Amino acid sequence: MRNTLKISVAIAAASAVALGASACSAPSDTTASDKGDKNAPLVVAASPTPHGTILDFVKNELAEKEGLKLVVKPFNDYKIPNKVTDDGQVDANFFQHKPFLDTFNKENGTHIVPVQNVLIEPLGVYSKKIDKLSDLKSGSTVSVPNDPSNEGRALKLLADNGVITLKPGVGSDAKLTDVKDDKGIKITELEAAQTAPRIDDVDAAIINGNFAIGAHLKPSKDALALEKAKDNPYANFLAVKKGNESDPRIKKLAKLLNSPEVKKFIEDKYKDGSVIPAFGPAKS
C-alpha cells in the first residue's frame, strides 16, 4: 500500500500508500460473481498505483493464457475495498499490509484474510550529511516517523543495521521505550510527511518510500539502508473474504502475481526502488 500509508497502522505504505476520500462506483457488470460462479470474471479492488498498475499488466499480458477473466476496480480509499470484499461486491482486493488489515478487521468486524504477498514499498535511511551508516556516532541525530506502525519499522531498520539495539524479542512493533542501547544517538520523532523536508535538520532520516520519491530521492540509489523484502510484515498482498481462499480463480491470480513476468515488470517499472517484489504466501 502506497505508504505509506499514513495509516495509523496505517500508515503506510505503504509502501507502504496518501489517503483519498472516495471510491469508484461499481458498474453492474463488474460486481463479484453470483452464486459461486467460478467461471465468472474475478473482480479485484485495488489502489490505482502501484497495485492497479500491476493488476492491469496481469490482465493484459498473462491472465488470458491461464483462462482467467480479470476485472480491476480502482479505489482511492483504504476503507471501502475491505468492506466491499467482505460483503461480496468484489471477489478480492490488493492494496494493504498485515498490520493495517488486522486493525481494520478488529475495528470493523470484517473477515478478510491475506492470500499472497506481492510487493513492498520500503522504508529507507537517507542523509545529506553522511555517506554510510557507520558514520553515525554518539551525538548524531536521526529522525523517525512518529506514527506507531512506521516508527516501529524505522527502529527495527536501525537495529537491523547495527545503529541501535532493541530489547530481545522486539520487532517492527518497537517503541522508543524498547530501545535497549541507543549508542548515544539522539532519535527525533517527526510526522512521516516531515521527515523528508527536514532531512537537513538531522544527520540521517528514515523516510517512507512515497515521501522519499516526492523529495526526489531514489531509494535504490540514495538510501543508506532499505527494508528487506523477505518476510517483511509490511508486504502488500492479495486478500479475500475468509472462506474464499480456495477459489480456483484466486489461486490463478496468486500464481500470476508471483510470476517471473510480474517480478520483471515491477523491477523495470519501479527502477528507483520505490516498489520491490516481496513474493511468497501471506501469513494469516
Side-chain angles (χ1 to χ4, degrees):
M1 158 146 82
R2 219 174 232 292
N3 259 50
T4 304
L5 294 111
K6 266 180 84 178
I7 312 171
S8 134
V9 172
I11 2 186
S15 64
V17 8
L19 291 177
S22 64
C24 298
S25 60
S28 60
D29 61 344
T30 60
T31 54
S33 52
D34 295 327
K35 300 180 181 179
D37 181 3
K38 303 310 179 186
N39 293 315
L42 183 71
V43 184
V44 183
S47 57
T49 304
H51 310 83
T53 301
I54 293 168
L55 286 171
D56 282 338
F57 170 77
V58 171
K59 174 183 176 180
N60 296 330
E61 303 295 333
L62 306 175
E64 185 176 356
K65 297 176 183 178
E66 292 291 327
L68 176 66
K69 298 175 183 178
L70 184 62
V71 174
V72 182
K73 188 177 173 189
F75 284 83
N76 290 315
D77 181 277
Y78 289 145
K79 295 181 179 179
I80 295 177
N82 277 331
K83 291 181 178 179
V84 296
T85 303
D86 194 67
D87 66 19
Q89 293 185 54
V90 302
D91 299 298
N93 66 55
F94 176 34
F95 76 102
Q96 64 192 323
H97 55 54
K98 189 70 162 51
F100 176 75
L101 176 60
D102 288 346
T103 298
F104 189 92
N105 278 335
K106 182 178 180 180
E107 293 180 350
N108 294 276
T110 47
H111 303 85
I112 308 300
V113 294
V115 175
Q116 197 78 17
N117 289 334
V118 181
L119 63 88
I120 184 171
E121 298 167 88
L123 220 60
V125 186
Y126 300 85
S127 177
K128 296 294 183 66
K129 299 179 180 179
I130 62 173
D131 297 320
K132 54 185 183 299
L133 288 181
S134 59
D135 291 335
L136 291 172
K137 308 295 183 183
S138 179
S140 296
T141 54
V142 178
S143 63
V144 300
N146 66 358
D147 58 278
S149 174
N150 283 318
E151 182 170 273
R153 294 172 72 183
L155 294 174
K156 185 176 186 301
L157 180 59
L158 291 174
D160 287 346
N161 287 276
V163 178
I164 62 173
T165 302
L166 296 175
K167 295 175 182 177
V170 175
S172 56
D173 57 348
K175 307 177 187 66
L176 283 180
T177 53
D178 294 316
V179 178
K180 180 179 180 181
D181 184 3
D182 60 17
K183 301 183 182 181
I185 292 171
K186 182 180 178 181
I187 299 175
T188 302
E189 296 174 295
L190 294 174
E191 288 188 8
Q194 291 299 310
T195 54
R198 296 180 60 181
I199 191 172
D200 290 331
D201 297 339
V202 293
D203 294 300
I206 299 188
I207 305 174
N208 292 79
N210 59 320
F211 296 128
I213 298 302
H216 305 292
L217 296 167
K218 296 182 178 180
S220 61
K221 177 181 177 182
D222 298 324
L224 303 182
L226 283 173
E227 284 182 310
K228 304 298 184 184
K230 185 177 180 181
D231 298 325
N232 192 301
Y234 293 90
N236 291 184
F237 45 66
L238 178 69
V240 300
K241 185 175 182 179
K242 188 178 175 78
N244 294 335
E245 301 95 317
S246 297
D247 184 324
R249 300 168 304 160
I250 294 295
K251 290 185 174 183
K252 286 180 180 179
L253 180 57
K255 178 183 175 182
L256 292 174
L257 285 171
N258 274 196
S259 66
E261 292 88 347
V262 167
K263 181 175 186 292
K264 185 177 186 304
F265 176 78
I266 293 173
E267 292 173 340
D268 289 346
K269 180 76 174 177
Y270 304 101
K271 292 180 180 179
D272 57 10
S274 60
V275 180
I276 56 178
F279 291 176
K283 296 180 180 180
S284 299

